[in-house]
Amino acid sequence: MNNYIEKNRDKFLNELLDLIRIPSVSADSKFKNDMIRAAEFVRDSIANAGADKAQIFETPGHPIVYGEKIIDPSLPTVLVYGHYDVQPADPYELWNSPPFEPVIKNDRIYARGACDDKGQFYMHVKALETMLATNTLTCNIKMMIEGEEEVGSSHLETFVKANREMLKCDTILISDTSMIANDVPSIETGLRGLTYLEVEVVGANRDLHSGVYGGGVANPINVLCEMIASLKDENGHITIPGFYDNVEELTASQRAALNAAPFDLNEYKKDLSIEDVSGELGYTTIERTSVRPTLDVNGIWGGYIGEGAKTVLPSKANAKISMRLVPNQSDQEICDLFTKHFEAIAPSSVRVKIVPHHGGLPYVTPTDSIEYKAAEMAMEESFGKKPIPTRGGGSIPIVALFEQELGRKSILMGFGLDIDGLHGPNESYGLFNFYKGIETIPLFFKHYAKLKKGE
Amino acid sequence: MNNYIEKNRDKFLNELLDLIRIPSVSADSKFKNDMIRAAEFVRDSIANAGADKAQIFETPGHPIVYGEKIIDPSLPTVLVYGHYDVQPADPYELWNSPPFEPVIKNDRIYARGACDDKGQFYMHVKALETMLATNTLTCNIKMMIEGEEEVGSSHLETFVKANREMLKCDTILISDTSMIANDVPSIETGLRGLTYLEVEVVGANRDLHSGVYGGGVANPINVLCEMIASLKDENGHITIPGFYDNVEELTASQRAALNAAPFDLNEYKKDLSIEDVSGELGYTTIERTSVRPTLDVNGIWGGYIGEGAKTVLPSKANAKISMRLVPNQSDQEICDLFTKHFEAIAPSSVRVKIVPHHGGLPYVTPTDSIEYKAAEMAMEESFGKKPIPTRGGGSIPIVALFEQELGRKSILMGFGLDIDGLHGPNESYGLFNFYKGIETIPLFFKHYAKLKKGE
């Protein structure tokens, strides 16, 4: 099997680079045609890997690609999930090379989507090809690769609900997360949820001269800043009433286990070129970025942002604000609490408009399940080291949906690293990680089939 | 004289529209050639009005146009100041018609620069033409029309210092301010000063994934919002240490006189479509916008501002911040106080960079001077009503410079209205105001020459 991977190294990589070259940015409608091209590419690659079935399902948004290889209905079935859409590449000027023209440098692929999630889900397509070519497939495989993960998987719920039978499986396998390091393999056993909203603060009905009106009429930018600032207190606690009501508090031993993961604060600060970390008082950086909820402004704009000076008192100001959620917060409830609070704190000199974007529930995977053990054994076999269970700070809203609609847990066997720079400029993915993933995935199927048989 | 104006109404207007069509935006280097075209247009129009001399002076920035008509060295000399540059027209999508294609609607000219300051300074060119054509000029006239007023008149000081002899005059006449209403003429006797800075808050050395790092690393947008919010307390007082130390406090009778000007708060709110005004506790709207200093964010940007959602934890956030100053604040001192304070309040998790743009001193004109009286008499004659002295909220840094370098006071005889919407979209200027200005300016010269003679 590893022989087949070795022989096809260049072919596998070149195919991935072709996929990356398609700028499949789901958030921006100007890439609509590229989304369709990417979906077709994924469909064809699943078919070429040897699947029985590979097709595109239209949605009111971007299409979903589904494929399957059913070798024996009595064997366990694994549903692989991934996404072919990528984050916007802005700001383009911070990239060292064009985001959709991948370059290989220092054994890393630099491009938008190199890791998230093209590099990672494509490992599954190539693992499928490898297992079929070497006749080593031990489970039935279903693959669902969507195109709206970066914009909240808006149409996936309807699709999953309408296709429960087709998607029926024993577990779900996802590579869209990171490990601690190439020599410290790990598996994410929890994810944060997400509530994402866009707010607008409106003052006067037109832009005003800041000399003529300044001091007497509310400035929406100042007001927006004041409102955002008031969302956290001096200890970094979020001030939205009810925000922490359902937050799962970890026990002392759970916290100790979490903080036992290798972590060097000095290295962390050095890597980011910061003097100091920052966050909620009373929690470590590991806790702040995994088991504690957050509130971050992801974008802000208002007034004159061109060259030079313009003394305008703008009519409005906007911000994109997201909150990462932890068990047992509900994204919908937090969305409602935020909206109610933000409206309540707006002074009477302005009006606010709030538009919810997408959300997702937080998620936890038990480490005593057969699927977790299979992933653990697979990584131990390929890395030569037992992986550490971690809690991730990111969000893959789909895992909560799967549990609810398909009644199955997901395994987050990701091969990325923190240095991959997801969502930022110069995203990259290590060649080591790409090939190690293709090597590890078939081992998961091998161990999973065995463990299921002995159940 | 009025006969000549009446006969040339269309010609005067069409010339102004031609000038407005040149997008002379000084803040944006892509309009550099248009700035040169505008300067040439101004030079030619001064020459065509009958000046002895009209020429362009190069500066390291945009050129200055100077012209003069010396009829008799023993007569008083008036220096007319204006500016041919305009504010950026962004945001273009809020204009009802393209900003540099003027349209006349309801007896108003709609275009960027219609009033500020093309419409206003061009009245002086046409008044000169009228006086020369009708042989009624009673003073020597010098005209200096610059191209950097909207970006802080950066090179004017050097020019004035180098050309003191050429610019020697008895008073300076400027039309770059507003009246209360067309039936309530007024003259501005004070202006606020200005300090304008650009700030940058930098967190990590790259954009980060808000799931992976969120909660543990400072978000520069949140930090910038918190820093900006902290610049004012709950009463709208600015918190920068020392900020109010030199602020001129008005006496009770000065305040009463100021608040006696016609002002309808309900009309004001209705015109702006706001529920409530906003500002410093203990002061009226008239006071807040004229004799009290301000702090406004004129622009803010950071993170993802495109369509849809992007869960980025950005590396930096920026804002343009300006402060309007009142007598006896110094723009340089306030710039230093702001910089020191802003650096001091930055948390150790970020770095800040502060770049000062331009500034200007506040200014007051005495109402018992000959030049003020001449302006008062001119407006009384043309409007049939004595003008009210007011204090303006805007800034024309040049007036403080003139006083310092030429030893002369400036008269701010402006013909604009608040509804002109300077600096915002759909700027406009009334035809009534344009022609009334051309009619009033020669009356200023008439009364000024008489008063000077009887001195």
Side-chain angles (χ1 to χ4, degrees), chain B residues 169-183:
Chain B
C169 59
D170 295 279
T171 191
I172 298 123
L173 183 61
I174 304 175
S175 295
D176 197 16
T177 50
S178 299
M179 310 180 299
I180 294 172
N182 281 347
D183 56 354

Side-chain angles (χ1 to χ4, degrees), chain A residues 87 192 196 205 210-211 216 219 271-273 276 278 296-298 300 302 304 306 308 310 312 320 324 348 423, chain B residues 87 192 196 205 210-211 216 219 271-273 276 278 296-298 300 302 304 306 308 310 312 320 324 348 423:
Chain A
Q87 280 275 319
R192 292 196 279 193
Y196 199 114
N205 51 14
S210 79
N219 180 324
D271 170 50
L272 300 172
S273 313
D276 252 323
S278 168
D296 272 305
V297 183
N298 303 107
I300 193 165
Y304 182 66
K310 182 170 150 71
V312 67
K320 295 179 194 266
R324 298 281 172 176
S348 57
H423 294 203
Chain B
Q87 280 276 319
R192 292 196 279 194
Y196 199 115
N205 51 14
S210 79
N219 179 324
D271 170 51
L272 300 172
S273 311
D276 253 322
S278 166
D296 273 303
V297 184
N298 303 107
I300 193 165
Y304 181 65
K310 181 169 152 73
V312 67
K320 294 178 194 267
R324 297 280 172 176
S348 57
H423 295 204

Side-chain angles (χ1 to χ4, degrees), chain A residues 193-247:
Chain A
L194 182 72
T195 293
Y196 199 114
L197 308 100
E198 195 161 322
V199 301
E200 178 169 279
V201 173
V202 183
N205 51 14
R206 59 186 188 268
D207 283 3
L208 302 172
H209 187 297
S210 79
V212 179
Y213 291 91
V217 176
N219 180 324
I221 305 180
N222 288 67
V223 173
L224 176 61
C225 288
E226 288 157 15
M227 290 174 74
I228 288 171
S230 82
L231 296 174
K232 290 188 193 174
D233 69 15
E234 67 280 14
N235 295 324
H237 291 296
I238 294 158
T239 58
I240 299 168
F243 186 84
Y244 291 98
D245 281 1
N246 298 316
V247 164

Side-chain angles (χ1 to χ4, degrees), chain A residues 222 225, chain B residues 224-232 297 300 319 321 342:
Chain A
N222 288 67
C225 288
Chain B
L224 177 60
C225 287
E226 288 156 15
M227 291 174 74
I228 287 171
S230 82
L231 296 176
K232 290 189 193 173
V297 184
I300 193 165
I321 298 175
F342 206 74

Side-chain angles (χ1 to χ4, degrees), chain A residues 27-29 87-88 90-91 94 112 116 150-151 192 194 196 198 203-219 221-222 224-226 228-229 232 268 270-280 285 288-289 294-314 320 322 324 348-349 351 357-358 393-394 418-419 421-425, chain B residues 27-29 87-88 90-91 94 112 116 150-151 192 194 196 198 203-219 221-222 224-226 228-229 232 268 270-280 285 288-289 294-314 320 322 324 348-349 351 357-358 393-394 418-419 421-425:
Chain A
D28 192 337
S29 50
Q87 280 275 319
D90 323 58
L94 295 184
R112 169 59 81 233
D116 181 15
E150 301 293 5
V151 289
R192 292 196 279 193
L194 182 72
Y196 199 114
E198 195 161 322
N205 51 14
R206 59 186 188 268
D207 283 3
L208 302 172
H209 187 297
S210 79
V212 179
Y213 291 91
V217 176
N219 180 324
I221 305 180
N222 288 67
L224 176 61
C225 288
E226 288 157 15
I228 288 171
K232 290 188 193 174
Y268 188 81
K270 203 173 133 197
D271 170 50
L272 300 172
S273 313
I274 53 176
E275 281 296 310
D276 252 323
V277 291
S278 168
E280 195 182 1
T285 297
R288 288 168 175 173
T289 56
T294 69
L295 186 151
D296 272 305
V297 183
N298 303 107
I300 193 165
W301 66 102
Y304 182 66
I305 61 178
E307 197 183 320
K310 182 170 150 71
T311 49
V312 67
L313 199 167
K320 295 179 194 266
S322 68
R324 298 281 172 176
S348 57
S349 52
R351 285 165 293 129
H357 278 296
H358 62 270
D418 277 358
I419 56 160
L422 312 189
H423 294 203
Chain B
D28 192 337
S29 50
Q87 280 276 319
D90 323 60
L94 295 184
R112 168 60 79 234
D116 180 14
E150 301 294 3
V151 289
R192 292 196 279 194
L194 183 74
Y196 199 115
E198 194 161 323
N205 51 14
R206 58 185 189 270
D207 283 2
L208 302 172
H209 187 296
S210 79
V212 177
Y213 292 91
V217 176
N219 179 324
I221 305 180
N222 288 68
L224 177 60
C225 287
E226 288 156 15
I228 287 171
K232 290 189 193 173
Y268 188 80
K270 205 175 130 195
D271 170 51
L272 300 172
S273 311
I274 54 176
E275 282 295 310
D276 253 322
V277 292
S278 166
E280 195 182 1
T285 297
R288 287 168 175 172
T289 56
T294 69
L295 186 151
D296 273 303
V297 184
N298 303 107
I300 193 165
W301 67 102
Y304 181 65
I305 61 177
E307 198 183 321
K310 181 169 152 73
T311 48
V312 67
L313 200 167
K320 294 178 194 267
S322 69
R324 297 280 172 176
S348 57
S349 52
R351 283 165 296 130
H357 278 295
H358 62 269
D418 277 359
I419 56 160
L422 312 188
H423 295 204

Side-chain angles (χ1 to χ4, degrees), chain A residues 117-402:
Chain A
D117 181 46
K118 286 176 175 170
Q120 294 228 52
F121 91 74
Y122 205 68
M123 301 181 311
H124 288 269
V125 181
K126 294 298 104 181
L128 174 63
E129 176 184 324
T130 302
M131 290 185 284
L132 288 174
T134 57
N135 203 20
T136 51
L137 184 59
T138 56
C139 302
N140 301 306
I141 293 193
K142 297 179 175 181
M143 282 189 151
M144 176 169 65
I145 313 298
E146 71 150 320
E148 300 188 302
E149 200 271 342
E150 301 293 5
V151 289
S153 302
S154 328
H155 301 100
L156 200 65
E157 184 169 348
T158 310
F159 181 79
V160 171
K161 281 182 173 165
N163 295 284
R164 275 205 196 87
E165 194 52 37
M166 179 175 88
L167 300 172
K168 207 176 154 190
C169 60
D170 295 279
T171 192
I172 298 122
L173 183 61
I174 304 173
S175 296
D176 196 16
T177 50
S178 298
M179 311 182 296
I180 293 172
N182 281 346
D183 57 354
V184 188
S186 60
I187 298 174
E188 288 206 359
T189 61
L191 286 168
R192 292 196 279 193
L194 182 72
T195 293
Y196 199 114
L197 308 100
E198 195 161 322
V199 301
E200 178 169 279
V201 173
V202 183
N205 51 14
R206 59 186 188 268
D207 283 3
L208 302 172
H209 187 297
S210 79
V212 179
Y213 291 91
V217 176
N219 180 324
I221 305 180
N222 288 67
V223 173
L224 176 61
C225 288
E226 288 157 15
M227 290 174 74
I228 288 171
S230 82
L231 296 174
K232 290 188 193 174
D233 69 15
E234 67 280 14
N235 295 324
H237 291 296
I238 294 158
T239 58
I240 299 168
F243 186 84
Y244 291 98
D245 281 1
N246 298 316
V247 164
E248 178 203 57
E249 293 289 343
L250 270 59
T251 63
S253 71
Q254 281 175 313
R255 289 183 69 174
L258 194 66
N259 287 302
F263 178 77
D264 183 326
L265 187 61
N266 282 329
E267 277 303 313
Y268 188 81
K269 292 196 286 190
K270 203 173 133 197
D271 170 50
L272 300 172
S273 313
I274 53 176
E275 281 296 310
D276 252 323
V277 291
S278 168
E280 195 182 1
L281 193 74
Y283 294 91
T284 64
T285 297
I286 289 182
E287 291 168 336
R288 288 168 175 173
T289 56
S290 63
V291 297
R292 296 300 296 171
T294 69
L295 186 151
D296 272 305
V297 183
N298 303 107
I300 193 165
W301 66 102
Y304 182 66
I305 61 178
E307 197 183 320
K310 182 170 150 71
T311 49
V312 67
L313 199 167
S315 165
K316 58 183 187 171
N318 298 72
K320 295 179 194 266
I321 299 175
S322 68
M323 286 153 280
R324 298 281 172 176
L325 311 178
V326 300
N328 305 301
Q329 291 180 297
S330 141
D331 60 319
Q332 190 50 57
E333 195 191 342
I334 294 297
C335 183
D336 295 343
L337 288 175
F338 178 94
T339 303
K340 204 174 133 193
H341 180 65
F342 206 74
E343 282 168 351
I345 61 174
S348 57
S349 52
V350 299
R351 285 165 293 129
V352 299
K353 290 183 210 167
I354 303 167
V355 179
H357 278 296
H358 62 270
L361 286 167
Y363 178 80
V364 178
T365 306
T367 54
D368 57 2
S369 65
I370 284 183
E371 45 268 33
Y372 183 82
K373 282 190 198 309
E376 192 176 55
M377 290 164 80
M379 287 189 100
E380 188 169 4
E381 188 172 342
S382 67
F383 284 87
K385 242 184 205 176
K386 198 169 168 169
I388 296 170
T390 60
R391 286 281 287 271
S395 307
I396 311 180
I398 181 74
V399 294
L401 174 69
F402 286 152

